Amino acid sequence: MVTTERAIPPLTADERTTLESWLDFQRATLARKVAGLTDEQARDAAAPPSTLSLLGLVQHMGEVERQWFRRVLQSETAPPLYGPDAGGEARSAEDLGDADAGLAVAPDASLAEAVAVWREEIARARAAYAPLSLNAVGTVRGQEVSLRWIFLHMIEEYARHNGHADLLRERTDGETGY
């Protein structure tokens, strides 16, 4: 079962604590949006004609965590997690691949597995950025990008997709506003 605890970010904190707390808050929000769903519910594209699903969002955010914290920040090459190239040739930060990576859901995909993979990517991300300053840089498309920028981008990415998740969850089973 996914934990649904979500700490409100501190109202007065230093920049690093604020950024990490908001990112963790957004991560926890997505976990809450998918908690208690069956695989069938999580796979449901609840707002036709869009094919977006809650399971697809979890998969996508696993890919996004991998992209920004492993490929960009650590210059690691890592294969895609989902889709036709999953587990295949490793990609670097220079090959950003598909911006919609992970959103398509295989018929046999399970929410529990996607959440486990996503949580593993989060754990690896935390380990990667823990010893670094906000001024540490990675490289994307031949340009340096700071950890500070990556944190802000990730908060934005989660916030946008959590809005999608809120609508999808409400269409799936009526749950709202948490």
Side-chain angles (χ1 to χ4, degrees):
M1 181 68 164
V2 176
T3 180
T4 58
E5 295 302 314
R6 184 176 65 167
I8 301 298
L11 300 177
T12 57
D14 62 89
E15 181 182 17
R16 176 66 177 251
T17 301
T18 299
L19 291 171
E20 285 190 37
S21 297
W22 273 106
L23 179 54
D24 285 341
F25 179 84
Q26 293 297 334
R27 288 167 170 159
T29 299
L30 183 57
R32 288 176 74 133
K33 294 298 175 188
V34 300
L37 292 175
T38 65
D39 286 344
E40 182 180 354
Q41 288 173 313
R43 252 189 238 105
D44 184 26
S50 173
T51 59
L52 187 64
S53 70
L54 289 161
L55 178 52
L57 285 175
V58 172
Q59 291 179 166
H60 176 67
M61 292 314 299
E63 291 279 12
V64 171
E65 292 273 355
R66 177 176 277 224
Q67 175 64 23
W68 286 100
F69 293 112
R70 290 176 66 180
R71 294 185 188 120
V72 172
L73 187 62
Q74 294 186 291
S75 300
E76 181 181 332
T77 55
L81 294 166
Y82 302 100
D85 298 330
E89 188 175 322
R91 291 188 177 152
S92 71
E94 299 311 308
D95 176 14
L96 293 179
D98 183 0
D100 295 333
L103 290 175
V105 175
D108 61 344
S110 85
L111 180 59
E113 183 179 315
V115 167
V117 167
W118 171 57
R119 288 202 179 275
E120 175 61 27
E121 290 300 324
I122 291 170
R124 291 184 76 148
R126 286 184 176 130
Y129 59 68
L132 302 176
S133 81
L134 291 175
N135 295 321
V137 295
T139 306
V140 64
R141 294 183 178 154
Q143 295 186 327
E144 288 188 338
V145 59
S146 71
L147 177 56
R148 177 182 289 103
W149 190 96
I150 293 170
F151 274 137
L152 289 169
H153 172 67
M154 291 298 291
I155 292 164
E156 175 274 330
E157 180 89 5
Y158 271 102
R160 181 166 28 93
H161 289 313
N162 284 336
H164 301 138
D166 197 35
L167 293 171
L168 290 168
R169 182 65 190 250
E170 183 175 7
R171 292 279 305 201
T172 297
D173 68 0
E175 290 290 330
T176 62
Y178 57 93

